[in-house]
Amino acid sequence: MRFTVGTVLSLSCLASSAPLTSIRSPPAVRPGVTAGRSSIGSRLNKIVTRSTTEATEAPGAPAEIQASEPVKEPWKYAAGTAPLGPYFDPLGISKGKTESEMKRIREAEITHGRVAMLSVLGFLFQEALIDRPLFWSPDKGYVTGPAIYHFQEVAERYPYFWLATIPFFAYYENKRARFGWQDPTKGGDLFGIKEDYEPGDFGFDPFNAYPIDSKSQRDMKNKELNNGRLAMLASVGFMAQELVNGKTIGDNLGFDKLMPPHGPY
């Protein structure tokens, strides 16, 4: 067999080249391919993130992946003080009541307690000014005697005095109702109390006397409740005593003997 020079050169080149199973160099990548892969990856990340968020917000999602939300504490009566114990309700008035109804009962108790405390002061203050009463007219003289009759005596001397006070009380009662009560024209209950309203708390504190810490706040609320309850009983006792004997509370308690001489004479 004869080999030409060209054949020998071709065989030598094949012997020196790499085998057929060797790794070939990667093909050149076009510029648009890399950008396409990046956009696909970002889209997949967005889909995974959105799916995780929807899973955590789903009502039946497991506890470990549910988003934590603040738990609203149910409103309840504050525990009472001695000697009546934590809760004193011998007639079962609070039995079966909703939260809104219980708030309305507490609102009524606080309001009547505050009015009664002012009533007790009014009894003692007006009757103590026996020498210098607040109301006087030339034809009927001073308003004196038991305080249970002062309302009628003031109306006899100043017929429009109590009528003039109606706008004042109406304004603040309307303001109180809008502050703590639900609006029935906007879907609320007719006598329902707002969920975020604390009975008796209107934010009125001109002397900044309301404490900051929770324990002191609870103590002040209990003091107001206890004094209001005592004042309601005292007001009923004052009225009953003056109806029985027709004397002022000062005369019944002997204040005239305790007070030094005073007055214009």
Side-chain angles (χ1 to χ4, degrees), residues 226-253:
N226 292 334
N227 283 281
R229 291 164 179 169
L230 179 62
M232 286 188 278
L233 294 174
S235 297
V236 174
F238 285 179
M239 290 184 281
Q241 183 61 44
E242 292 189 351
L243 284 172
V244 168
N245 59 10
K247 295 181 181 180
T248 65
I249 298 301
D251 292 339
N252 283 293
L253 297 178

PDB file of all heavy atoms in Angstrom, residues 226-253:
ATOM      1  N   ASN A 226     -67.482  53.671  94.873  1.00  0.00           N
ATOM      2  CA  ASN A 226     -67.903  53.511  96.262  1.00  0.00           C
ATOM      3  C   ASN A 226     -68.477  54.789  96.836  1.00  0.00           C
ATOM      4  O   ASN A 226     -69.498  54.769  97.541  1.00  0.00           O
ATOM      5  CB  ASN A 226     -66.722  53.025  97.109  1.00  0.00           C
ATOM      6  CG  ASN A 226     -66.306  51.611  96.768  1.00  0.00           C
ATOM      7  OD1 ASN A 226     -67.119  50.822  96.295  1.00  0.00           O
ATOM      8  ND2 ASN A 226     -65.046  51.275  96.994  1.00  0.00           N
ATOM      9  N   ASN A 227     -67.843  55.918  96.547  1.00  0.00           N
ATOM     10  CA  ASN A 227     -68.368  57.197  97.033  1.00  0.00           C
ATOM     11  C   ASN A 227     -69.688  57.545  96.353  1.00  0.00           C
ATOM     12  O   ASN A 227     -70.582  58.126  96.977  1.00  0.00           O
ATOM     13  CB  ASN A 227     -67.337  58.306  96.814  1.00  0.00           C
ATOM     14  CG  ASN A 227     -66.211  58.266  97.828  1.00  0.00           C
ATOM     15  OD1 ASN A 227     -66.359  58.715  98.952  1.00  0.00           O
ATOM     16  ND2 ASN A 227     -65.078  57.709  97.438  1.00  0.00           N
ATOM     17  N   GLY A 228     -69.809  57.202  95.062  1.00  0.00           N
ATOM     18  CA  GLY A 228     -71.074  57.443  94.377  1.00  0.00           C
ATOM     19  C   GLY A 228     -72.201  56.605  94.943  1.00  0.00           C
ATOM     20  O   GLY A 228     -73.336  57.081  95.111  1.00  0.00           O
ATOM     21  N   ARG A 229     -71.935  55.339  95.238  1.00  0.00           N
ATOM     22  CA  ARG A 229     -72.957  54.488  95.840  1.00  0.00           C
ATOM     23  C   ARG A 229     -73.359  54.996  97.211  1.00  0.00           C
ATOM     24  O   ARG A 229     -74.550  55.019  97.566  1.00  0.00           O
ATOM     25  CB  ARG A 229     -72.423  53.056  95.933  1.00  0.00           C
ATOM     26  CG  ARG A 229     -72.252  52.381  94.583  1.00  0.00           C
ATOM     27  CD  ARG A 229     -71.372  51.141  94.673  1.00  0.00           C
ATOM     28  NE  ARG A 229     -71.234  50.477  93.381  1.00  0.00           N
ATOM     29  CZ  ARG A 229     -70.364  49.514  93.133  1.00  0.00           C
ATOM     30  NH1 ARG A 229     -69.541  49.087  94.092  1.00  0.00           N
ATOM     31  NH2 ARG A 229     -70.300  48.962  91.936  1.00  0.00           N
ATOM     32  N   LEU A 230     -72.369  55.399  98.004  1.00  0.00           N
ATOM     33  CA  LEU A 230     -72.672  55.952  99.326  1.00  0.00           C
ATOM     34  C   LEU A 230     -73.487  57.235  99.217  1.00  0.00           C
ATOM     35  O   LEU A 230     -74.420  57.466  99.991  1.00  0.00           O
ATOM     36  CB  LEU A 230     -71.365  56.210 100.076  1.00  0.00           C
ATOM     37  CG  LEU A 230     -71.506  56.814 101.475  1.00  0.00           C
ATOM     38  CD1 LEU A 230     -72.277  55.870 102.391  1.00  0.00           C
ATOM     39  CD2 LEU A 230     -70.127  57.110 102.060  1.00  0.00           C
ATOM     40  N   ALA A 231     -73.147  58.070  98.232  1.00  0.00           N
ATOM     41  CA  ALA A 231     -73.875  59.328  98.049  1.00  0.00           C
ATOM     42  C   ALA A 231     -75.320  59.072  97.619  1.00  0.00           C
ATOM     43  O   ALA A 231     -76.232  59.809  98.025  1.00  0.00           O
ATOM     44  CB  ALA A 231     -73.161  60.199  97.009  1.00  0.00           C
ATOM     45  N   MET A 232     -75.564  58.029  96.807  1.00  0.00           N
ATOM     46  CA  MET A 232     -76.944  57.720  96.414  1.00  0.00           C
ATOM     47  C   MET A 232     -77.772  57.318  97.627  1.00  0.00           C
ATOM     48  O   MET A 232     -78.930  57.744  97.786  1.00  0.00           O
ATOM     49  CB  MET A 232     -76.950  56.611  95.356  1.00  0.00           C
ATOM     50  CG  MET A 232     -76.500  57.070  93.978  1.00  0.00           C
ATOM     51  SD  MET A 232     -76.728  55.826  92.677  1.00  0.00           S
ATOM     52  CE  MET A 232     -75.262  54.826  92.912  1.00  0.00           C
ATOM     53  N   LEU A 233     -77.177  56.507  98.498  1.00  0.00           N
ATOM     54  CA  LEU A 233     -77.876  56.133  99.729  1.00  0.00           C
ATOM     55  C   LEU A 233     -78.071  57.346 100.635  1.00  0.00           C
ATOM     56  O   LEU A 233     -79.130  57.499 101.267  1.00  0.00           O
ATOM     57  CB  LEU A 233     -77.094  55.040 100.462  1.00  0.00           C
ATOM     58  CG  LEU A 233     -76.988  53.688  99.755  1.00  0.00           C
ATOM     59  CD1 LEU A 233     -76.070  52.747 100.529  1.00  0.00           C
ATOM     60  CD2 LEU A 233     -78.360  53.064  99.572  1.00  0.00           C
ATOM     61  N   ALA A 234     -77.056  58.207 100.724  1.00  0.00           N
ATOM     62  CA  ALA A 234     -77.162  59.400 101.564  1.00  0.00           C
ATOM     63  C   ALA A 234     -78.237  60.350 101.057  1.00  0.00           C
ATOM     64  O   ALA A 234     -78.995  60.919 101.848  1.00  0.00           O
ATOM     65  CB  ALA A 234     -75.813  60.110 101.627  1.00  0.00           C
ATOM     66  N   SER A 235     -78.348  60.522  99.747  1.00  0.00           N
ATOM     67  CA  SER A 235     -79.369  61.421  99.188  1.00  0.00           C
ATOM     68  C   SER A 235     -80.771  60.918  99.509  1.00  0.00           C
ATOM     69  O   SER A 235     -81.657  61.702  99.892  1.00  0.00           O
ATOM     70  CB  SER A 235     -79.191  61.535  97.663  1.00  0.00           C
ATOM     71  OG  SER A 235     -77.954  62.115  97.344  1.00  0.00           O
ATOM     72  N   VAL A 236     -80.961  59.604  99.353  1.00  0.00           N
ATOM     73  CA  VAL A 236     -82.278  59.034  99.696  1.00  0.00           C
ATOM     74  C   VAL A 236     -82.551  59.214 101.185  1.00  0.00           C
ATOM     75  O   VAL A 236     -83.681  59.553 101.585  1.00  0.00           O
ATOM     76  CB  VAL A 236     -82.315  57.545  99.311  1.00  0.00           C
ATOM     77  CG1 VAL A 236     -83.608  56.890  99.799  1.00  0.00           C
ATOM     78  CG2 VAL A 236     -82.204  57.390  97.806  1.00  0.00           C
ATOM     79  N   GLY A 237     -81.529  59.032 102.020  1.00  0.00           N
ATOM     80  CA  GLY A 237     -81.716  59.234 103.460  1.00  0.00           C
ATOM     81  C   GLY A 237     -82.029  60.674 103.813  1.00  0.00           C
ATOM     82  O   GLY A 237     -82.878  60.945 104.675  1.00  0.00           O
ATOM     83  N   PHE A 238     -81.351  61.621 103.162  1.00  0.00           N
ATOM     84  CA  PHE A 238     -81.631  63.039 103.401  1.00  0.00           C
ATOM     85  C   PHE A 238     -83.087  63.373 103.081  1.00  0.00           C
ATOM     86  O   PHE A 238     -83.788  64.032 103.865  1.00  0.00           O
ATOM     87  CB  PHE A 238     -80.708  63.911 102.554  1.00  0.00           C
ATOM     88  CG  PHE A 238     -79.294  63.978 103.061  1.00  0.00           C
ATOM     89  CD1 PHE A 238     -78.337  64.722 102.382  1.00  0.00           C
ATOM     90  CD2 PHE A 238     -78.897  63.307 104.203  1.00  0.00           C
ATOM     91  CE1 PHE A 238     -77.036  64.786 102.831  1.00  0.00           C
ATOM     92  CE2 PHE A 238     -77.598  63.362 104.668  1.00  0.00           C
ATOM     93  CZ  PHE A 238     -76.673  64.103 103.974  1.00  0.00           C
ATOM     94  N   MET A 239     -83.526  62.928 101.911  1.00  0.00           N
ATOM     95  CA  MET A 239     -84.898  63.240 101.485  1.00  0.00           C
ATOM     96  C   MET A 239     -85.929  62.607 102.408  1.00  0.00           C
ATOM     97  O   MET A 239     -86.925  63.237 102.786  1.00  0.00           O
ATOM     98  CB  MET A 239     -85.112  62.787 100.036  1.00  0.00           C
ATOM     99  CG  MET A 239     -84.352  63.604  99.017  1.00  0.00           C
ATOM    100  SD  MET A 239     -84.694  63.132  97.304  1.00  0.00           S
ATOM    101  CE  MET A 239     -83.664  61.669  97.158  1.00  0.00           C
ATOM    102  N   ALA A 240     -85.687  61.364 102.808  1.00  0.00           N
ATOM    103  CA  ALA A 240     -86.627  60.689 103.695  1.00  0.00           C
ATOM    104  C   ALA A 240     -86.684  61.370 105.054  1.00  0.00           C
ATOM    105  O   ALA A 240     -87.776  61.559 105.626  1.00  0.00           O
ATOM    106  CB  ALA A 240     -86.224  59.222 103.859  1.00  0.00           C
ATOM    107  N   GLN A 241     -85.527  61.772 105.579  1.00  0.00           N
ATOM    108  CA  GLN A 241     -85.492  62.404 106.891  1.00  0.00           C
ATOM    109  C   GLN A 241     -86.204  63.755 106.878  1.00  0.00           C
ATOM    110  O   GLN A 241     -86.961  64.077 107.820  1.00  0.00           O
ATOM    111  CB  GLN A 241     -84.041  62.582 107.351  1.00  0.00           C
ATOM    112  CG  GLN A 241     -83.885  63.161 108.748  1.00  0.00           C
ATOM    113  CD  GLN A 241     -84.496  62.283 109.805  1.00  0.00           C
ATOM    114  OE1 GLN A 241     -84.317  61.059 109.783  1.00  0.00           O
ATOM    115  NE2 GLN A 241     -85.237  62.876 110.731  1.00  0.00           N
ATOM    116  N   GLU A 242     -86.003  64.548 105.852  1.00  0.00           N
ATOM    117  CA  GLU A 242     -86.661  65.857 105.797  1.00  0.00           C
ATOM    118  C   GLU A 242     -88.154  65.724 105.549  1.00  0.00           C
ATOM    119  O   GLU A 242     -88.936  66.581 105.998  1.00  0.00           O
ATOM    120  CB  GLU A 242     -86.012  66.714 104.715  1.00  0.00           C
ATOM    121  CG  GLU A 242     -84.583  67.120 105.063  1.00  0.00           C
ATOM    122  CD  GLU A 242     -83.999  68.137 104.106  1.00  0.00           C
ATOM    123  OE1 GLU A 242     -84.627  68.419 103.066  1.00  0.00           O
ATOM    124  OE2 GLU A 242     -82.913  68.672 104.394  1.00  0.00           O
ATOM    125  N   LEU A 243     -88.580  64.682 104.852  1.00  0.00           N
ATOM    126  CA  LEU A 243     -90.018  64.448 104.687  1.00  0.00           C
ATOM    127  C   LEU A 243     -90.675  64.021 105.992  1.00  0.00           C
ATOM    128  O   LEU A 243     -91.853  64.324 106.238  1.00  0.00           O
ATOM    129  CB  LEU A 243     -90.249  63.376 103.620  1.00  0.00           C
ATOM    130  CG  LEU A 243     -90.068  63.803 102.165  1.00  0.00           C
ATOM    131  CD1 LEU A 243     -90.131  62.589 101.245  1.00  0.00           C
ATOM    132  CD2 LEU A 243     -91.127  64.827 101.756  1.00  0.00           C
ATOM    133  N   VAL A 244     -89.938  63.353 106.860  1.00  0.00           N
ATOM    134  CA  VAL A 244     -90.521  62.838 108.104  1.00  0.00           C
ATOM    135  C   VAL A 244     -90.788  63.959 109.105  1.00  0.00           C
ATOM    136  O   VAL A 244     -91.903  64.085 109.648  1.00  0.00           O
ATOM    137  CB  VAL A 244     -89.595  61.763 108.718  1.00  0.00           C
ATOM    138  CG1 VAL A 244     -90.027  61.416 110.145  1.00  0.00           C
ATOM    139  CG2 VAL A 244     -89.604  60.520 107.851  1.00  0.00           C
ATOM    140  N   ASN A 245     -89.779  64.801 109.360  1.00  0.00           N
ATOM    141  CA  ASN A 245     -89.947  65.808 110.415  1.00  0.00           C
ATOM    142  C   ASN A 245     -89.906  67.252 109.911  1.00  0.00           C
ATOM    143  O   ASN A 245     -90.081  68.180 110.705  1.00  0.00           O
ATOM    144  CB  ASN A 245     -88.908  65.616 111.516  1.00  0.00           C
ATOM    145  CG  ASN A 245     -87.485  65.713 111.004  1.00  0.00           C
ATOM    146  OD1 ASN A 245     -87.232  66.106 109.857  1.00  0.00           O
ATOM    147  ND2 ASN A 245     -86.525  65.353 111.855  1.00  0.00           N
ATOM    148  N   GLY A 246     -89.651  67.479 108.623  1.00  0.00           N
ATOM    149  CA  GLY A 246     -89.680  68.839 108.085  1.00  0.00           C
ATOM    150  C   GLY A 246     -88.524  69.709 108.533  1.00  0.00           C
ATOM    151  O   GLY A 246     -88.597  70.939 108.416  1.00  0.00           O
ATOM    152  N   LYS A 247     -87.436  69.113 109.016  1.00  0.00           N
ATOM    153  CA  LYS A 247     -86.277  69.885 109.452  1.00  0.00           C
ATOM    154  C   LYS A 247     -85.127  69.687 108.466  1.00  0.00           C
ATOM    155  O   LYS A 247     -85.072  68.688 107.754  1.00  0.00           O
ATOM    156  CB  LYS A 247     -85.824  69.433 110.848  1.00  0.00           C
ATOM    157  CG  LYS A 247     -86.836  69.696 111.948  1.00  0.00           C
ATOM    158  CD  LYS A 247     -86.278  69.238 113.284  1.00  0.00           C
ATOM    159  CE  LYS A 247     -87.273  69.476 114.400  1.00  0.00           C
ATOM    160  NZ  LYS A 247     -86.737  69.024 115.723  1.00  0.00           N
ATOM    161  N   THR A 248     -84.221  70.641 108.474  1.00  0.00           N
ATOM    162  CA  THR A 248     -83.055  70.521 107.601  1.00  0.00           C
ATOM    163  C   THR A 248     -82.109  69.435 108.128  1.00  0.00           C
ATOM    164  O   THR A 248     -82.196  69.026 109.291  1.00  0.00           O
ATOM    165  CB  THR A 248     -82.302  71.858 107.511  1.00  0.00           C
ATOM    166  OG1 THR A 248     -81.759  72.176 108.810  1.00  0.00           O
ATOM    167  CG2 THR A 248     -83.223  72.972 107.045  1.00  0.00           C
ATOM    168  N   ILE A 249     -81.215  68.998 107.277  1.00  0.00           N
ATOM    169  CA  ILE A 249     -80.238  68.001 107.684  1.00  0.00           C
ATOM    170  C   ILE A 249     -79.321  68.562 108.762  1.00  0.00           C
ATOM    171  O   ILE A 249     -78.925  67.861 109.701  1.00  0.00           O
ATOM    172  CB  ILE A 249     -79.423  67.520 106.477  1.00  0.00           C
ATOM    173  CG1 ILE A 249     -80.344  66.848 105.458  1.00  0.00           C
ATOM    174  CG2 ILE A 249     -78.338  66.558 106.895  1.00  0.00           C
ATOM    175  CD1 ILE A 249     -81.111  65.664 105.987  1.00  0.00           C
ATOM    176  N   GLY A 250     -79.020  69.845 108.655  1.00  0.00           N
ATOM    177  CA  GLY A 250     -78.195  70.478 109.681  1.00  0.00           C
ATOM    178  C   GLY A 250     -78.860  70.461 111.037  1.00  0.00           C
ATOM    179  O   GLY A 250     -78.211  70.213 112.063  1.00  0.00           O
ATOM    180  N   ASP A 251     -80.173  70.714 111.071  1.00  0.00           N
ATOM    181  CA  ASP A 251     -80.899  70.668 112.347  1.00  0.00           C
ATOM    182  C   ASP A 251     -80.963  69.238 112.881  1.00  0.00           C
ATOM    183  O   ASP A 251     -80.859  69.010 114.094  1.00  0.00           O
ATOM    184  CB  ASP A 251     -82.307  71.225 112.172  1.00  0.00           C
ATOM    185  CG  ASP A 251     -82.309  72.727 111.876  1.00  0.00           C
ATOM    186  OD1 ASP A 251     -81.293  73.383 112.205  1.00  0.00           O
ATOM    187  OD2 ASP A 251     -83.294  73.226 111.310  1.00  0.00           O
ATOM    188  N   ASN A 252     -81.164  68.279 111.992  1.00  0.00           N
ATOM    189  CA  ASN A 252     -81.224  66.890 112.443  1.00  0.00           C
ATOM    190  C   ASN A 252     -79.893  66.402 112.997  1.00  0.00           C
ATOM    191  O   ASN A 252     -79.863  65.586 113.928  1.00  0.00           O
ATOM    192  CB  ASN A 252     -81.649  65.989 111.275  1.00  0.00           C
ATOM    193  CG  ASN A 252     -83.136  66.065 110.995  1.00  0.00           C
ATOM    194  OD1 ASN A 252     -83.953  65.630 111.804  1.00  0.00           O
ATOM    195  ND2 ASN A 252     -83.508  66.609 109.845  1.00  0.00           N
ATOM    196  N   LEU A 253     -78.788  66.867 112.434  1.00  0.00           N
ATOM    197  CA  LEU A 253     -77.469  66.447 112.883  1.00  0.00           C
ATOM    198  C   LEU A 253     -76.877  67.376 113.936  1.00  0.00           C
ATOM    199  O   LEU A 253     -75.797  67.096 114.466  1.00  0.00           O
ATOM    200  CB  LEU A 253     -76.516  66.365 111.681  1.00  0.00           C
ATOM    201  CG  LEU A 253     -76.887  65.340 110.600  1.00  0.00           C
ATOM    202  CD1 LEU A 253     -75.896  65.399 109.446  1.00  0.00           C
ATOM    203  CD2 LEU A 253     -76.933  63.939 111.181  1.00  0.00           C
TER     204      LEU A 253
END
